[in-house]
Amino acid sequence: MPSPDRLELARASYGAYESGDRSVLEERLADDFTFYSPADPGIDRATYFERCWPNAELIEAFEFKRLGEVGDEVVVTYEATRTDGSRFRNTEVLTFDGDRIRKVEVYFGWDLE
């Protein structure tokens, strides 16, 4: 049985923020999903959707600068454009369990001009 294309799964997850289609992301996150960032160290799936998903209304697009698979992880560096035209850059590490994302670690970057 072929392994899932985790790069495509990662792209689709960010695409959910661009389209505002939460169901796409819900399908890709494991039931025991955990999210880590400096602001949210180790929150669960429900808390992630409560705190982070509302940002989908503020995101217009992602441009991938780095997207690579290493073992069960996908490393993503992106530049995002907000609906107000401002931009920022982050790096994230997505850990997969099969074809579902089990953990995300966010390393905040900076605002772009």
Side-chain angles (χ1 to χ4, degrees):
M1 185 171 182
S3 64
D5 184 342
R6 291 180 173 144
L7 298 180
E8 282 303 316
L9 294 171
R11 283 185 188 96
S13 297
Y14 292 95
Y17 273 85
E18 293 172 326
S19 69
D21 188 351
R22 179 177 163 158
S23 67
V24 171
L25 194 56
E26 287 177 347
E27 292 174 12
R28 283 162 179 76
L29 299 185
D31 293 337
D32 63 346
F33 173 78
T34 308
F35 179 85
Y36 294 87
S37 79
D40 297 300
I43 60 176
D44 64 12
R45 180 185 162 111
T47 306
Y48 169 80
F49 278 114
E50 178 184 307
R51 290 187 192 171
C52 301
W53 178 251
N55 291 318
E57 294 180 12
L58 306 175
I59 298 295
E60 183 175 302
F62 289 97
E63 180 182 345
F64 298 110
K65 298 299 183 176
R66 183 179 299 117
L67 187 65
E69 186 174 357
V70 180
D72 288 337
E73 296 178 333
V74 171
V75 178
V76 183
T77 299
Y78 58 79
E79 293 180 1
T81 302
R82 296 181 184 102
T83 54
D84 69 2
S86 64
R87 298 173 60 232
F88 64 96
R89 180 180 176 114
N90 286 344
T91 294
E92 301 186 5
V93 178
L94 286 60
T95 302
F96 282 81
D97 183 6
D99 63 352
R100 299 186 79 198
I101 301 169
R102 185 174 41 84
K103 178 173 71 171
V104 171
E105 300 169 46
V106 178
Y107 299 93
F108 292 134
W110 50 87
D111 288 332
L112 302 169
E113 293 183 42

